[in-house]
């Protein structure tokens, strides 16, 4: 006799939004934040510290950490609307913008978010190619000696990476693979920890701390200004926490994923905004401490000669196998990370075409293909075409502008003010009903304007860096 479990399921207690009860805690939240934030941006922190010097480098990272926490504090109160404790949940950053600021600014927010994700795909293509090249050079130096030419290009590796992404982009429900976030977290901790350890060992081996207060010397004052601005953009790229905070409160790891594992989300009591504020203090502090260690030990090891990418600039030759392993971790992390960051764009395009052309066979039909030793694969011609063109576009741009630090600087600057400052501040005004020209309103407006100036400075400098490198 079959047992009907429907009554049992219906008696299961539900949360205030009709979903299964959440059991996430302060500590699981901290873990998700740290694994979400630490990524490829850490590779440029030593170079950024070298441009800013022993006072400017650490002070800038602390400054970005404070700004990140303030932004997170404001966003935590926007998780529910219209009341921060009893209101309806906003599942994503864009949901919060829509509820508080209206459709027009939601479209602007969405455009900026998708532009950011697209740019990250370009950055990941560049970073992966130079990591593969670093593995080849590391093995070459080990066999031929440190003075061997060991010259390798990056275009071939970008093309290989692009071909792999064309295949991966056709895998259905790629973003729902839980193991992907676990692998990404493990890889990012591996290569960033190896970079930190090698930098520390290099300092011990040198028996002195390199670097100075002013940072790396430049031929002209203008060059120094541009390098400082690029360093600010690179550091901003390393602090994306505010952009994914609301998704962490609701979901597993941020707007880059779709999460159905409700047991891993923050439970309603105590109030999510209070838990998230505590988690923000702890996680931002831990992340910043780790960033400062990576940046400072790298600068102390190499001084003015600090490479733009700590794992591929060949300050470290030995142990060559450890350098290879770190770069292999980077490749594995970014191979899946490219898909994770671009799946929201794919999902948006899929929805748009289906809604626009509901009866079109090219858009809606799936063709079953049977492959040896594999389950049947359902191919959609629209996805095959536009996703292939999408990957081709990011690959072509990466080949055209293969400049690691400058591209990270542009992405960091583009994200920093609008997504991490402007929208959180404006949503907070609406959510908390802050009146114009009050003390808090003025204070937050000044805060926003200062961040806008910094973001603009970093963007202009990073764009100038790309142009200079292109026509060098």
């Amino acid at each position: 006799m079959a047992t009907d479990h429907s009554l049992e399921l219906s008696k299961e207690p539900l949360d205030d939004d009709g979903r299964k009860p959440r059991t996430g805690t302060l500590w699981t939240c901290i873990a998700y934040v740290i694994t979400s934030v630490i990524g490829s941006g850490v590779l440029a922190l030593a170079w950024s510290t070298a441009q800013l010097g022993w006072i400017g480098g650490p002070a800038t990272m602390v400054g970005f950490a404070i700004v990140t926490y303030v932004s997170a504090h404001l966003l935590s109160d926007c998780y529910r609307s219209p009341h921060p404790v009893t209101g309806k949940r906003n599942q994503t950053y864009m949901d919060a913008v829509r509820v508080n600021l209206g459709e027009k600014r939601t479209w602007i927010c969405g455009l900026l978010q998708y532009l950011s994700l697209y740019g990250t795909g370009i950055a990941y293509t560049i970073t992966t190619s130079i990591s593969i090249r670093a593995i080849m050079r590391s093995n070459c130096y080990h066999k031929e000696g440190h003075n061997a030419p060991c010259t390798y290009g990056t275009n071939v590796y970008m093309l290989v990476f692009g071909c792999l992404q064309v295949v991966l982009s056709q895998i259905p429900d790629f973003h729902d693979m839980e193991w992907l976030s676990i692998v990404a977290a493990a890889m990012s901790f591996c290569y960033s920890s190896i970079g930190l350890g090698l930098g520390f060992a290099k300092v011990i081996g040198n028996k002195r701390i390199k670097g100075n207060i002013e940072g790396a010397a430049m031929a002209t004052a203008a060059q120094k200004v541009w390098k400082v601005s690029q360093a600010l953009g690179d550091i901003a790229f390393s602090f994306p926490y505010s952009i994914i905070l609301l998704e962490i409160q609701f979901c597993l790891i941020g707007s880059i994923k779709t999460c159905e594992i409700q047991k891993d989300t923050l439970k309603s009591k105590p109030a999510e905004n209070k838990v998230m504020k505590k988690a923000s203090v702890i996680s931002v502090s831990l992340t910043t401490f780790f960033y400062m260690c990576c940046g400072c030990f790298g600068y102390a090891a190499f001084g003015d000669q600090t490479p733009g990418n700590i794992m591929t600039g060949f300050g470290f030759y030995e142990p060559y196998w450890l350098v290879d392993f770190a770069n292999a971790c980077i490749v594995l992390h970014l191979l899946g990370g490219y898909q994770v960051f671009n799946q929201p764009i794919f999902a948006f395009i899929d929805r748009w075409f289906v809604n626009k052309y509901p009866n079109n066979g090219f858009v809606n039909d799936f063709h079953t293909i049977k492959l040896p030793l594999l389950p049947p694969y359902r191919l959609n011609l629209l996805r095959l075409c536009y996703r292939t063109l999408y990957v081709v576009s990011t690959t072509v741009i990466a080949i055209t502008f293969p400049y690691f630090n400058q591209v990270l600087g542009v992405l960091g600057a583009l994200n920093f003010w609008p997504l991490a400052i402007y929208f959180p501040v404006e949503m907070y005004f609406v959510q908390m009903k802050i009146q114009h020209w009050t003390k808090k309103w003025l204070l937050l407006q000044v805060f926003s304007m200062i961040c806008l100036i910094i973001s603009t400075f970093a963007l202009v400098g990073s764009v100038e860096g790309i142009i200079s490198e292109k026509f060098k």
Side-chain angles (χ1 to χ4, degrees):
M1 181 177 177
T3 302
D4 186 1
H5 295 283
S6 59
L7 292 178
E8 296 178 22
L9 292 174
S10 64
K11 292 179 181 178
E12 183 179 349
L14 300 176
D15 219 325
D16 60 329
D17 60 351
R19 295 174 179 265
K20 292 181 181 180
R22 297 159 171 82
T23 58
T25 66
L26 172 68
W27 299 108
T28 58
C29 181
I30 292 170
Y32 294 147
V33 169
I34 293 175
T35 56
S36 300
V37 170
I38 295 178
S40 59
V42 73
L43 300 171
L45 290 177
W47 181 85
S48 299
T49 305
Q51 309 314 309
L52 298 168
W54 276 120
I55 294 178
T60 300
M61 280 186 262
V62 171
F64 272 98
I66 293 171
V67 170
T68 298
Y69 172 70
V70 172
S71 175
H73 184 91
L74 300 177
L75 275 175
S76 295
D77 288 329
C78 298
Y79 173 57
R80 289 178 178 268
S81 299
H83 191 275
V85 177
T86 61
K88 182 180 178 181
R89 298 176 193 273
N90 294 310
Q91 298 184 22
T92 66
Y93 189 99
M94 285 180 63
D95 285 343
V97 174
R98 182 179 293 105
V99 169
N100 290 286
L101 301 179
E103 285 294 333
K104 183 178 180 180
R105 280 191 277 187
T106 301
W107 277 98
I108 297 173
C109 173
L111 177 62
L112 290 171
Q113 278 197 306
Y114 290 145
L115 181 63
S116 170
L117 297 176
Y118 182 81
T120 301
I122 297 170
Y124 278 14
T125 304
I126 296 169
T127 308
T128 302
S129 68
I130 61 177
S131 289
I132 297 174
R133 182 181 64 179
I135 293 173
M136 303 294 292
R137 294 179 67 192
S138 175
N139 294 332
C140 176
Y141 287 136
H142 179 70
K143 292 178 181 178
E144 306 295 335
H146 296 174
N147 293 322
C150 297
T151 303
Y152 299 91
T154 58
N155 289 356
V156 173
Y157 305 127
M158 290 188 195
L159 290 173
V160 172
F161 182 79
C163 290
L164 289 173
Q165 293 303 333
V166 169
V167 175
L168 293 176
S169 66
Q170 301 302 321
I171 296 177
D173 300 322
F174 194 94
H175 58 291
D176 288 331
M177 295 181 182
E178 182 183 357
W179 58 268
L180 195 62
S181 61
I182 298 173
V183 172
M187 294 300 101
S188 62
F189 270 116
C190 279
Y191 65 71
S192 55
S193 298
I194 289 171
L196 172 58
L198 289 175
F200 179 75
K202 183 83 171 176
V203 173
I204 300 299
N206 292 338
K207 297 181 180 179
R208 70 186 183 94
I209 296 175
K210 295 184 178 181
N212 53 66
I213 294 176
E214 296 84 8
M218 295 293 158
T220 65
Q223 289 179 343
K224 182 65 176 179
V225 170
W226 295 133
K227 292 297 183 182
V228 167
S229 67
Q230 292 168 31
L232 292 175
D234 285 0
I235 294 174
F237 183 82
S238 302
F239 282 91
Y241 172 44
S242 301
I243 302 171
I244 61 175
L245 179 138
L246 292 182
E247 285 85 352
I248 290 174
Q249 274 184 266
F250 180 84
C251 209
L252 176 64
I253 196 173
S255 60
I256 59 175
K257 293 191 69 180
T258 299
C259 175
E260 298 296 339
I261 307 173
Q262 295 303 318
K263 65 180 181 179
D264 288 324
T265 55
L266 282 179
K267 53 188 176 182
S268 301
K269 294 181 181 180
E272 300 96 342
N273 62 334
K274 293 182 179 180
V275 176
M276 203 68 209
K277 289 173 183 177
K278 291 180 182 179
S280 298
V281 173
I282 298 172
S283 56
V284 171
S285 299
L286 291 175
T287 302
T288 304
F289 176 75
F290 183 74
Y291 281 179
M292 289 181 68
C293 289
C294 292
C296 291
F297 277 118
Y299 183 41
F302 301 110
D304 286 2
Q305 304 305 313
T306 302
N309 182 325
I310 196 66
M311 289 311 309
T312 63
F314 281 91
F316 308 119
Y317 289 95
E318 300 292 341
Y320 81 99
W321 58 267
L322 189 59
V323 175
D324 287 354
F325 177 72
N327 281 292
C329 289
I330 295 172
V331 173
L332 287 175
H333 177 201
L334 303 187
L335 194 64
Y338 180 102
Q339 286 299 316
V340 171
F341 272 87
N342 287 287
Q343 282 296 325
I345 299 179
F346 294 160
F348 172 79
I349 296 174
D350 287 343
R351 288 194 304 269
W352 188 87
F353 272 104
V354 169
N355 292 332
K356 185 74 173 178
Y357 306 102
N359 300 316
N360 188 288
F362 181 76
V363 172
N364 296 281
D365 290 349
F366 285 82
H367 306 275
T368 302
I369 300 176
K370 294 182 179 180
L371 301 173
L373 305 178
L374 292 174
Y377 175 73
R378 300 177 70 240
L379 175 68
N380 178 270
L381 294 178
L382 172 69
R383 291 183 181 182
L384 176 63
C385 293
Y386 87 76
R387 293 188 183 191
T388 299
L389 290 174
Y390 180 94
V391 174
V392 168
S393 70
T394 60
T395 305
V396 169
I397 294 174
I399 291 174
T400 307
F401 303 103
Y403 314 120
F404 176 74
N405 295 99
Q406 292 81 0
V407 170
L408 292 194
V410 169
L411 293 174
L414 283 174
N415 290 340
F416 176 58
W417 180 73
L419 295 177
I421 307 300
Y422 171 76
F423 284 113
V425 167
E426 293 299 315
M427 285 192 290
Y428 184 79
F429 287 156
V430 174
Q431 180 86 352
M432 306 306 290
K433 297 179 173 59
I434 306 297
Q435 298 297 318
H436 286 196
W437 306 109
T438 60
K439 184 177 181 180
K440 181 174 287 189
W441 185 88
L442 287 171
L443 187 63
L444 287 174
Q445 289 287 13
V446 171
F447 167 74
S448 180
M449 288 303 300
I450 292 173
C451 291
L452 173 59
I453 293 170
I454 294 172
S455 189
T456 303
F457 175 59
L459 178 61
V460 171
S462 298
V463 171
E464 189 280 337
I466 290 177
I467 295 172
S468 297
E469 288 291 335
K470 186 64 180 175
F471 297 100
K472 183 181 290 185

